[in-house]
Amino acid sequence: MNRAQVPGFSLAVLANALLLFLATSCTGGSPERPRTTQRDSAGVMIVENEGSMPTNGAGWSLTPEPTLSIGTVGGAEAYQFYGVAGAHRFDDGRIGVVNAGSREVRIFGPDGSLLASFGRQGAGPEEFEMPVLAGVMGGTLLVLDRAHHRIAYVDPDRGFVGLVRVADEVGGYLNPAGTFANGHSVFGGAFDMRRIGERRNGMNRAHTYYRSSNPDGSLAADFGDKDGAEYFIKDLEGSGPESRPVLTPFAKVPVATVSPEFLYFSDQDAYEIQAHDPSGRLVRIIRLALDPAPVTPADGERYVQSVVEEIGDPEQAAAVRSQLGSLPLPQFFPPHGAMLADAPGYLWVEDFQRPGAENRAWNVFSPEGALAGRLTLPERFSPLEIGSNYLLGVGWDELNVEYVRMYGLSRPGG
């Protein structure tokens, strides 16, 4: 029986409390350490965290430089990346990369040398149009092609070893959240077209859903309707840009990730994260007491400027500035940013990235939901996979050239 499923006071709760006590005692009971409590609520374990962890301390650290970096500016095309859409480190040290720009899955050796490449652009059984890594099952990459609503099974040695179509009942636009240890892949977060009629002028909140598919593509579980992204419509009855939904600056959007055992979901109304088991049952809610951060007009201007700077055409930039500048600002920033579950079952939650702020810190929660660590990630780096002793992701240089990079990770107790 899973500890999160034990109602009321139990030996499992007592064991967790003892572990938390020992962790505090071993570090001298620092006042910076969080206070974690657990209680059962109708079969759902509520985990409350108050306080904070020392950043880059308590036994958590990253290597200052990458232990592996793959990529080039003007070298061989096989080492140039564009639109990296997933990466995985195999048990033998090889690295699999989904490079959406070239519609390929590339396999690199532990030293970063190219070993094999599978796929190309097209609609055939060994081709891709919109590839993204949906997960890994038994050492095989599950590569979703959104354009064709199907998953290709790609073995690092043999290439394409299977192809299944994802059933329509799993979802329309497939946005992968990850794959459970049992091979069920989870999709969700897209706008739910069934609720399109609820739109109105002004601020709206979309609805979304999360569902999983079996290895053969059929529906496995429905995790239920969820709150989706916040958006604004100026004139629903009009025409042109003012009648279309637009994400407001600092809008709340659904965030999800999958560990071997749980789907973690947050609608960002608060620092509250749901944990569902593969059957779809809610088993745990993780909370962190955090004062909301207010949004100022200067924050809005920095946001607009950051978007406009990415647009080369002056006329288009002016139009975008005018549209974004007229959108309302929320009272507070979302409570957090992205989430990523690691191989040992820990949940990593990014601080919300405010415009102009150099804050790249992530909170790390234990598999039981206790705040266990806090780390600052390197600049211009986004993690895609976290193992027991590494972070694998995509990095960018000053010219925004993409690199696949890996950093060594140390955890408390080695």
Side-chain angles (χ1 to χ4, degrees):
M1 179 179 291
N2 189 298
R3 279 174 287 189
Q5 301 173 17
V6 182
F9 181 82
S10 65
L11 291 177
V13 175
L14 179 62
N16 284 336
L18 179 60
L19 287 174
L20 292 171
F21 171 77
L22 291 175
T24 302
S25 301
C26 292
T27 56
S30 168
E32 291 185 340
R33 296 290 175 174
R35 175 175 176 267
T36 302
T37 59
Q38 300 185 62
R39 59 184 173 86
D40 180 87
S41 176
V44 178
M45 192 64 68
I46 310 296
V47 185
E48 306 270 5
N49 293 279
E50 297 182 11
S52 61
M53 291 289 292
T55 305
N56 303 324
W60 295 85
S61 65
L62 292 176
T63 55
E65 300 295 331
T67 58
L68 179 67
S69 183
I70 309 172
T72 181
V73 176
E77 186 175 346
Y79 295 91
Q80 296 180 19
F81 296 109
Y82 178 71
V84 172
H88 170 67
R89 182 180 184 270
F90 296 96
D91 290 343
D92 60 7
R94 287 181 293 175
I95 306 293
V97 179
V98 177
N99 188 51
S102 62
R103 282 77 167 181
E104 290 177 292
V105 176
R106 297 175 184 173
I107 308 298
F108 297 90
D111 62 352
S113 59
L114 181 69
L115 302 178
S117 178
F118 306 107
R120 61 183 180 183
Q121 185 173 5
E126 298 187 1
E127 298 174 330
F128 300 111
E129 287 291 349
M130 299 174 62
V132 58
L133 186 63
V136 182
M137 185 176 68
T140 299
L141 302 178
L142 278 61
V143 184
L144 169 71
D145 190 337
R146 290 188 175 119
H148 301 297
H149 224 260
R150 65 192 186 191
I151 294 176
Y153 289 76
V154 181
D155 181 89
D157 295 308
R158 297 176 291 156
F160 291 86
V161 294
L163 185 69
V164 299
R165 189 183 187 283
V166 181
D168 292 338
E169 58 186 338
V170 175
Y173 181 82
L174 297 178
N175 185 38
T179 300
F180 292 116
N182 64 4
H184 293 181
S185 297
V186 181
F187 307 95
F191 193 94
D192 189 348
M193 298 302 293
R194 299 172 302 172
R195 314 289 281 276
I196 193 74
E198 296 183 8
R199 295 185 301 168
R200 62 183 183 274
N201 287 340
M203 288 299 299
N204 293 261
R205 189 85 194 251
H207 296 269
T208 190
Y209 54 84
Y210 284 84
R211 303 186 188 114
S212 61
S213 67
N214 290 299
D216 63 1
S218 61
L219 177 67
D222 189 336
F223 299 88
D225 290 342
K226 308 285 187 182
D227 281 338
E230 291 180 321
Y231 64 93
F232 181 83
I233 297 179
K234 187 172 184 180
D235 184 7
L236 185 61
E237 303 301 324
S239 60
E242 292 187 348
S243 67
R244 303 187 192 118
V246 180
L247 280 180
T248 58
F250 320 123
K252 297 173 184 175
V253 297
V255 184
T257 186
V258 174
S259 77
E261 295 183 358
F262 298 109
L263 164 67
Y264 292 104
F265 169 82
S266 171
D267 59 17
Q268 301 220 58
D269 274 338
Y271 208 121
E272 180 176 293
I273 300 162
Q274 301 175 5
H276 298 258
D277 68 15
S279 73
R281 189 168 62 91
L282 177 64
V283 296
R284 183 178 298 132
I285 294 177
I286 303 169
R287 294 173 179 158
L288 177 64
L290 192 69
D291 292 332
V295 176
T296 68
D299 293 319
E301 174 56 31
R302 281 190 288 266
Y303 172 84
V304 173
Q305 184 62 27
S306 67
V307 175
V308 169
E309 287 176 352
E310 300 295 323
I311 302 173
D313 183 275
E315 185 175 341
Q316 184 182 4
V320 170
R321 173 178 285 280
S322 175
Q323 182 185 33
L324 292 180
S326 66
L327 295 175
L329 295 175
Q331 185 178 2
F332 299 106
F333 286 103
H336 60 80
M339 301 193 302
L340 191 60
D342 67 17
Y346 285 71
L347 174 65
W348 296 57
V349 183
E350 181 187 29
D351 286 1
F352 186 80
Q353 299 299 295
R354 307 177 198 175
E358 292 296 329
N359 183 12
R360 304 179 307 280
W362 291 61
N363 287 320
V364 186
F365 296 87
S366 73
E368 294 76 29
L371 184 59
R374 183 170 170 84
L375 272 175
T376 299
L377 269 57
E379 293 185 25
R380 306 180 71 86
F381 174 80
S382 180
L384 298 173
E385 180 180 83
I386 304 176
S388 59
N389 61 356
Y390 68 88
L391 264 71
L392 178 65
V394 58
W396 298 266
D397 64 15
E398 295 75 11
L399 301 175
N400 286 329
V401 175
E402 295 179 43
Y403 297 80
V404 173
R405 287 175 173 157
M406 185 165 62
Y407 291 83
L409 169 65
S410 294
R411 298 172 184 261

